[in-house]
mmCIF file of all heavy atoms in Angstrom:
data_model
loop_
_atom_site.group_PDB
_atom_site.id
_atom_site.type_symbol
_atom_site.label_atom_id
_atom_site.label_comp_id
_atom_site.label_asym_id
_atom_site.label_seq_id
_atom_site.Cartn_x
_atom_site.Cartn_y
_atom_site.Cartn_z
ATOM 1 N N CYS B 324 18.799 -8.163 4.766
ATOM 2 C CA CYS B 324 20.020 -7.452 4.497
ATOM 3 C C CYS B 324 21.295 -8.257 4.608
ATOM 4 O O CYS B 324 22.402 -7.826 4.179
ATOM 5 C CB CYS B 324 20.016 -6.139 5.284
ATOM 6 S SG CYS B 324 19.333 -6.328 6.953
ATOM 7 N N SER B 325 21.131 -9.347 5.285
ATOM 8 C CA SER B 325 22.429 -10.122 5.755
ATOM 9 C C SER B 325 23.235 -10.584 4.566
ATOM 10 O O SER B 325 24.414 -10.512 4.593
ATOM 11 C CB SER B 325 22.090 -11.235 6.706
ATOM 12 O OG SER B 325 21.275 -12.182 6.062
ATOM 13 N N ALA B 326 22.595 -11.056 3.413
ATOM 14 C CA ALA B 326 23.246 -11.636 2.313
ATOM 15 C C ALA B 326 24.226 -10.609 1.699
ATOM 16 O O ALA B 326 25.213 -10.770 1.146
ATOM 17 C CB ALA B 326 22.377 -12.179 1.233
ATOM 18 N N VAL B 327 23.743 -9.258 1.888
ATOM 19 C CA VAL B 327 24.472 -8.116 1.201
ATOM 20 C C VAL B 327 25.575 -7.599 2.267
ATOM 21 O O VAL B 327 26.715 -7.471 1.860
ATOM 22 C CB VAL B 327 23.467 -7.094 0.840
ATOM 23 C CG1 VAL B 327 24.266 -5.764 0.527
ATOM 24 C CG2 VAL B 327 22.664 -7.477 -0.291
ATOM 25 N N THR B 328 25.080 -7.334 3.364
ATOM 26 C CA THR B 328 26.003 -6.598 4.390
ATOM 27 C C THR B 328 27.138 -7.556 4.903
ATOM 28 O O THR B 328 28.107 -7.162 5.262
ATOM 29 C CB THR B 328 25.347 -6.038 5.584
ATOM 30 O OG1 THR B 328 24.446 -7.119 6.132
ATOM 31 C CG2 THR B 328 24.343 -4.992 5.170
ATOM 32 N N GLU B 329 26.936 -8.960 4.755
ATOM 33 C CA GLU B 329 27.847 -9.889 5.377
ATOM 34 C C GLU B 329 28.633 -10.468 4.194
ATOM 35 O O GLU B 329 29.370 -11.518 4.312
ATOM 36 C CB GLU B 329 27.302 -10.853 6.205
ATOM 37 C CG GLU B 329 26.725 -10.280 7.515
ATOM 38 C CD GLU B 329 25.685 -11.142 8.171
ATOM 39 O OE1 GLU B 329 25.882 -12.394 8.114
ATOM 40 O OE2 GLU B 329 24.795 -10.616 8.858
ATOM 41 N N TYR B 330 28.493 -10.001 2.984
ATOM 42 C CA TYR B 330 29.183 -10.567 1.833
ATOM 43 C C TYR B 330 30.665 -10.312 1.875
ATOM 44 O O TYR B 330 31.140 -9.226 2.058
ATOM 45 C CB TYR B 330 28.617 -9.971 0.562
ATOM 46 C CG TYR B 330 29.371 -10.374 -0.776
ATOM 47 C CD1 TYR B 330 29.195 -11.715 -1.207
ATOM 48 C CD2 TYR B 330 30.134 -9.473 -1.425
ATOM 49 C CE1 TYR B 330 29.908 -12.079 -2.346
ATOM 50 C CE2 TYR B 330 30.772 -9.934 -2.610
ATOM 51 C CZ TYR B 330 30.602 -11.164 -3.043
ATOM 52 O OH TYR B 330 31.267 -11.627 -4.186
ATOM 53 N N SER B 331 31.475 -11.373 1.862
ATOM 54 C CA SER B 331 32.971 -11.089 1.893
ATOM 55 C C SER B 331 33.601 -11.790 0.776
ATOM 56 O O SER B 331 34.828 -12.132 0.910
ATOM 57 C CB SER B 331 33.333 -11.706 3.187
ATOM 58 O OG SER B 331 33.072 -13.140 3.338
ATOM 59 N N GLY B 332 32.972 -12.022 -0.304
ATOM 60 C CA GLY B 332 33.690 -12.571 -1.460
ATOM 61 C C GLY B 332 32.999 -13.835 -1.891
ATOM 62 O O GLY B 332 33.111 -14.240 -3.076
ATOM 63 N N GLU B 333 32.322 -14.483 -0.981
ATOM 64 C CA GLU B 333 31.640 -15.772 -1.346
ATOM 65 C C GLU B 333 30.111 -15.574 -1.163
ATOM 66 O O GLU B 333 29.705 -15.054 -0.145
ATOM 67 C CB GLU B 333 32.189 -16.926 -0.558
ATOM 68 C CG GLU B 333 33.223 -17.670 -1.274
ATOM 69 C CD GLU B 333 33.635 -18.888 -0.479
ATOM 70 O OE1 GLU B 333 32.738 -19.696 -0.054
ATOM 71 O OE2 GLU B 333 34.851 -19.052 -0.301
ATOM 72 N N VAL B 334 29.391 -16.096 -2.093
ATOM 73 C CA VAL B 334 27.917 -15.938 -2.024
ATOM 74 C C VAL B 334 27.307 -16.932 -1.010
ATOM 75 O O VAL B 334 27.742 -18.016 -1.123
ATOM 76 C CB VAL B 334 27.253 -16.110 -3.343
ATOM 77 C CG1 VAL B 334 25.640 -16.031 -3.146
ATOM 78 C CG2 VAL B 334 27.590 -15.042 -4.404
ATOM 79 N N ASP B 335 26.712 -16.434 -0.012
ATOM 80 C CA ASP B 335 26.103 -17.346 1.088
ATOM 81 C C ASP B 335 24.711 -17.816 0.501
ATOM 82 O O ASP B 335 23.765 -17.218 0.544
ATOM 83 C CB ASP B 335 25.866 -16.547 2.373
ATOM 84 C CG ASP B 335 25.449 -17.364 3.517
ATOM 85 O OD1 ASP B 335 24.860 -18.493 3.169
ATOM 86 O OD2 ASP B 335 25.645 -16.975 4.675
ATOM 87 N N VAL B 336 24.876 -19.079 -0.093
ATOM 88 C CA VAL B 336 23.746 -19.601 -0.788
ATOM 89 C C VAL B 336 22.466 -19.847 -0.040
ATOM 90 O O VAL B 336 21.378 -19.371 -0.563
ATOM 91 C CB VAL B 336 24.092 -21.073 -1.425
ATOM 92 C CG1 VAL B 336 22.942 -21.652 -2.131
ATOM 93 C CG2 VAL B 336 25.284 -20.797 -2.392
ATOM 94 N N PRO B 337 22.528 -20.298 1.232
ATOM 95 C CA PRO B 337 21.340 -20.430 2.122
ATOM 96 C C PRO B 337 20.610 -19.029 2.230
ATOM 97 O O PRO B 337 19.386 -18.998 2.221
ATOM 98 C CB PRO B 337 21.759 -20.997 3.400
ATOM 99 C CG PRO B 337 23.077 -21.632 3.133
ATOM 100 C CD PRO B 337 23.672 -20.902 2.053
ATOM 101 N N LYS B 338 21.454 -18.022 2.362
ATOM 102 C CA LYS B 338 20.868 -16.603 2.525
ATOM 103 C C LYS B 338 20.133 -16.171 1.362
ATOM 104 O O LYS B 338 19.182 -15.617 1.365
ATOM 105 C CB LYS B 338 21.924 -15.671 3.016
ATOM 106 C CG LYS B 338 22.329 -15.779 4.454
ATOM 107 C CD LYS B 338 23.321 -14.676 4.794
ATOM 108 C CE LYS B 338 23.680 -14.906 6.364
ATOM 109 N NZ LYS B 338 24.773 -14.112 6.800
ATOM 110 N N VAL B 339 20.847 -16.441 0.161
ATOM 111 C CA VAL B 339 20.182 -16.156 -1.142
ATOM 112 C C VAL B 339 18.918 -16.856 -1.369
ATOM 113 O O VAL B 339 17.925 -16.315 -1.796
ATOM 114 C CB VAL B 339 21.185 -16.315 -2.260
ATOM 115 C CG1 VAL B 339 20.504 -16.198 -3.694
ATOM 116 C CG2 VAL B 339 22.369 -15.385 -2.176
ATOM 117 N N ILE B 340 18.976 -18.174 -1.047
ATOM 118 C CA ILE B 340 17.701 -18.994 -1.254
ATOM 119 C C ILE B 340 16.557 -18.429 -0.279
ATOM 120 O O ILE B 340 15.431 -18.344 -0.677
ATOM 121 C CB ILE B 340 17.982 -20.453 -0.880
ATOM 122 C CG1 ILE B 340 18.857 -21.060 -2.030
ATOM 123 C CG2 ILE B 340 16.662 -21.249 -0.854
ATOM 124 C CD1 ILE B 340 19.437 -22.405 -1.746
ATOM 125 N N THR B 341 16.985 -18.142 0.945
ATOM 126 C CA THR B 341 16.090 -17.517 1.907
ATOM 127 C C THR B 341 15.356 -16.267 1.337
ATOM 128 O O THR B 341 14.224 -16.061 1.439
ATOM 129 C CB THR B 341 16.713 -17.145 3.257
ATOM 130 O OG1 THR B 341 17.285 -18.406 3.695
ATOM 131 C CG2 THR B 341 15.705 -16.803 4.228
ATOM 132 N N GLU B 342 16.193 -15.441 0.731
ATOM 133 C CA GLU B 342 15.823 -14.174 0.212
ATOM 134 C C GLU B 342 14.759 -14.424 -0.983
ATOM 135 O O GLU B 342 13.729 -13.779 -1.033
ATOM 136 C CB GLU B 342 16.887 -13.318 -0.309
ATOM 137 C CG GLU B 342 17.779 -12.711 0.800
ATOM 138 C CD GLU B 342 18.430 -11.383 0.547
ATOM 139 O OE1 GLU B 342 18.255 -10.930 -0.611
ATOM 140 O OE2 GLU B 342 19.032 -10.886 1.436
ATOM 141 N N VAL B 343 15.079 -15.376 -1.796
ATOM 142 C CA VAL B 343 14.155 -15.620 -2.861
ATOM 143 C C VAL B 343 12.834 -16.229 -2.359
ATOM 144 O O VAL B 343 11.724 -15.866 -2.809
ATOM 145 C CB VAL B 343 14.824 -16.642 -3.848
ATOM 146 C CG1 VAL B 343 13.757 -17.222 -4.937
ATOM 147 C CG2 VAL B 343 16.048 -16.124 -4.540
ATOM 148 N N GLY B 344 12.914 -17.028 -1.258
ATOM 149 C CA GLY B 344 11.803 -17.580 -0.638
ATOM 150 C C GLY B 344 10.938 -16.414 -0.020
ATOM 151 O O GLY B 344 9.709 -16.388 -0.109
ATOM 152 N N GLU B 345 11.719 -15.472 0.719
ATOM 153 C CA GLU B 345 10.867 -14.293 1.241
ATOM 154 C C GLU B 345 10.187 -13.527 0.181
ATOM 155 O O GLU B 345 9.113 -13.108 0.349
ATOM 156 C CB GLU B 345 11.873 -13.422 1.974
ATOM 157 C CG GLU B 345 12.250 -13.997 3.391
ATOM 158 C CD GLU B 345 13.460 -13.215 3.914
ATOM 159 O OE1 GLU B 345 14.010 -12.286 3.394
ATOM 160 O OE2 GLU B 345 13.875 -13.608 5.054
ATOM 161 N N LEU B 346 10.848 -13.312 -0.989
ATOM 162 C CA LEU B 346 10.226 -12.632 -2.047
ATOM 163 C C LEU B 346 8.891 -13.312 -2.502
ATOM 164 O O LEU B 346 7.849 -12.618 -2.703
ATOM 165 C CB LEU B 346 11.208 -12.654 -3.281
ATOM 166 C CG LEU B 346 10.643 -12.113 -4.638
ATOM 167 C CD1 LEU B 346 10.219 -10.654 -4.492
ATOM 168 C CD2 LEU B 346 11.767 -12.274 -5.781
#
Side-chain angles (χ1 to χ4, degrees):
Chain B
C324 35
S325 65
V327 168
T328 55
E329 292 163 32
Y330 175 70
S331 57
E333 265 185 50
V334 176
D335 189 332
V336 177
K338 281 181 180 171
V339 171
I340 291 171
T341 307
E342 291 210 355
V343 173
E345 283 169 358
L346 167 66

